[in-house]
Amino acid sequence: MLKNLPGLSFRTGLLAFIAVLAAIAPAKASLEDQYRQWLANDLWPAARAQGVSQATFNAAFAGTRLKLDLPDLEIPGKQAPVDGKQHQAEFRAPSAYFQHIGGVVSGGRSMASRHASTLAAIEKRYGVPRGIVLAIWGRESGFGNAKIPHDAFEVLGTKAFLSRRKDMFRAEVLAALKMVQQSGINPRQMKSSWAGAMGQPQFMPTSYLKFAADGDGDGRADIWSSQADTLASIANYLAVHGWVRGRDWGFEVVLPDNVSCALEGPDRGRTIREWQSFGINRVGGKAFPAHELNGEAFLMLPAGRYGPAFLVTPNFYRLKDYNESDLYALFVGHAADRIMYGDITFQTPWRKVDAMTRGQVATMQRSLEAQGFDVGGADGLVGFKTRRSIGVWQERQEVLTTCFPDRELLGRLR
């Protein structure tokens, strides 16, 4: 075709032909351009329908760009690993979660003294013990000292556009826009984690709208720079979720050998008095508080028979509302006790557990599922449903019952 173009060399004709094609077919928009189009044509109408002004919307996204280094993104043309890094990651021993608890405890004691009057008022208003509030504050942001570097709208916008959980982050970015619209917060002040959790209590925007509280009386809930507002917001979150005033979070106990570790779980509650009838008592010969005896409690074994055992109250599960990890809730409860009552340590030691990958744990979970067990999903994480399913399987096989995964069990279940 090009050889027949009159008066043109082959090279010149080729360049002319490419120019004609470029004119006929516009270049494909870049990913950043697609993002801008999505903001204008999709997110903005949804925000406007929820009462967000154009000025607020423009201010929120001014100077922001896609943040493509975030995890959990589906980027066009970039194939995710087949197995994924998380699948290969080592499943950590539960004891590792508590390695740095000392910093939270020492910082919490200092803050308890510095904010004594504020904490007393918050405890009276919300019914949440000050030690719990301080432990969460320390765990989430190092008492406000942790670096929280990301622009919330850059993170939330990117995730609403490209995340595997687009619907969830769409709701969060719309909530963030409402925060700016309703509270007059400067969008550039809204610093977040890589997941979009904001400020010292690490609230997602939907949580901010529901639970952020004014603790210093200035009429605003500033979870970025106000320590009083941060403390009040954490307490309000727990109170609204149903924290039971006057009850503890839980107690370390001695689990007799003849009591099954498969009795664990928030759906298998008994009164503390009933658990005592099984021979379960507090460590060190301590008595349970009299007012707790008729309250419901639940067996919790984060490492099965390889670590401490606990009777936890419904308040333990309010801590899990803040973060769904058993170990997070246990960390907070234990740190709170140490902040308020001294250097309490777990009386039962954490024993060594086999190093395994999350993929290996997931293989075990799928095998148990195939046998009719409810493990809570084959995600490579060892929650209470996986622990007690392992325990029941071990009991049926008449082998040592540990309620925790190990390499021998993996070999048997393959």
Side-chain angles (χ1 to χ4, degrees):
M1 175 180 174
L2 291 174
K3 290 181 179 179
N4 296 328
L5 291 173
L8 294 175
S9 69
F10 179 80
R11 182 174 180 277
T12 304
L14 177 60
L15 294 174
F17 183 65
I18 292 173
V20 170
L21 288 180
I24 295 172
K28 183 180 179 181
S30 70
L31 190 58
E32 188 71 36
D33 289 338
Q34 294 176 49
Y35 176 55
R36 294 294 154 189
Q37 293 169 10
W38 174 80
L39 287 175
N41 300 328
D42 188 330
L43 192 64
W44 159 238
R48 179 177 56 198
Q50 295 192 23
V52 175
S53 71
Q54 182 77 68
T56 293
F57 190 89
N58 292 345
F61 289 100
T64 65
R65 297 180 61 83
L66 282 173
K67 190 169 179 59
L68 298 180
D69 60 345
L70 296 173
D72 195 38
L73 300 183
E74 294 179 319
I75 301 174
K78 184 176 180 181
Q79 185 176 1
V82 174
D83 207 12
K85 290 182 180 179
Q86 283 298 321
H87 203 60
Q88 297 299 331
E90 182 178 338
F91 172 74
R92 298 180 69 201
S95 58
Y97 202 92
F98 300 88
Q99 289 178 349
H100 304 295
I101 196 170
V104 172
V105 172
S106 60
R109 290 172 181 167
S110 174
M111 292 297 175
S113 175
R114 185 181 306 178
H115 298 286
S117 60
T118 297
L119 286 163
I122 287 172
E123 191 171 294
K124 181 178 180 180
R125 179 178 179 183
Y126 297 105
V128 181
R130 66 193 69 189
I132 293 290
V133 176
L134 288 166
I136 291 177
W137 185 23
R139 177 66 188 178
E140 293 295 334
S141 65
F143 307 101
N145 294 316
K147 185 178 181 181
I148 304 173
H150 302 298
D151 185 293
F153 283 100
E154 202 158 73
V155 169
L156 295 169
T158 299
K159 284 186 168 283
F161 184 58
L162 292 174
S163 171
R164 294 179 176 86
R165 296 177 290 168
K166 292 183 179 67
D167 290 344
M168 184 194 104
F169 282 103
R170 180 185 179 85
E172 293 297 346
V173 73
L174 289 170
L177 287 164
K178 290 170 73 173
M179 288 172 58
V180 177
Q181 182 70 36
Q182 295 173 6
S183 305
I185 300 171
N186 181 343
R188 301 289 77 81
Q189 180 193 2
M190 293 169 62
K191 297 299 183 181
S192 79
S193 71
W194 60 263
M198 302 181 305
Q200 296 185 46
Q202 286 290 275
F203 278 1
M204 296 299 287
T206 51
S207 291
Y208 177 92
L209 291 177
K210 294 176 184 176
F211 310 115
D214 175 17
D216 56 19
D218 68 353
R220 301 173 61 238
D222 179 0
I223 61 173
W224 291 272
S225 57
S226 170
Q227 295 177 329
D229 290 0
T230 295
L231 294 167
S233 296
I234 293 170
N236 187 47
Y237 184 102
L238 295 174
V240 172
H241 277 83
W243 184 273
V244 182
R245 186 186 291 261
R247 292 210 67 184
D248 209 316
W249 68 269
F251 309 91
E252 187 183 354
V253 297
V254 177
L255 184 67
D257 291 340
N258 64 344
V259 178
S260 173
C261 54
L263 292 174
E264 179 181 9
D267 52 351
R268 298 185 178 177
R270 292 175 168 84
T271 67
I272 289 181
R273 196 183 299 276
E274 288 175 306
W275 287 115
Q276 277 190 306
S277 72
F278 290 7
I280 297 176
N281 292 295
R282 289 185 74 181
V283 294
K286 298 177 184 177
F288 290 105
H291 72 275
E292 294 277 9
L293 290 175
N294 293 321
E296 189 174 32
F298 314 88
L299 186 62
M300 203 276 290
L301 303 164
R305 289 279 186 179
Y306 293 117
F310 303 88
L311 284 181
V312 298
T313 77
N315 284 339
F316 178 84
Y317 295 99
R318 303 294 72 77
L319 298 177
K320 288 192 65 174
D321 288 331
Y322 208 101
N323 181 310
E324 64 182 353
S325 164
D326 285 338
L327 292 174
Y328 176 92
L330 181 57
F331 180 103
V332 168
H334 185 55
D337 286 348
R338 291 179 59 177
I339 289 168
M340 299 307 300
Y341 308 123
D343 287 324
I344 301 165
T345 59
F346 295 130
Q347 296 300 293
T348 301
W350 300 95
R351 292 162 55 192
K352 185 177 180 180
V353 299
D354 287 348
M356 303 177 70
T357 67
R358 282 184 58 176
Q360 290 172 322
V361 174
T363 296
M364 294 174 52
Q365 290 171 320
R366 285 190 292 270
S367 180
L368 288 166
E369 284 181 327
Q371 298 179 51
F373 288 94
D374 177 9
V375 298
D379 55 6
L381 302 174
V382 186
F384 77 90
K385 288 185 177 181
T386 293
R387 295 193 294 266
R388 74 185 185 191
S389 293
I390 289 172
V392 172
W393 185 90
Q394 290 170 324
E395 289 172 350
R396 291 177 182 176
Q397 301 298 313
E398 298 184 347
V399 298
L400 179 66
T401 304
T402 64
C403 294
F404 206 74
D406 56 48
R407 290 187 174 276
E408 181 181 352
L409 183 62
L410 174 65
R412 285 172 171 265
L413 285 171
R414 278 189 185 276

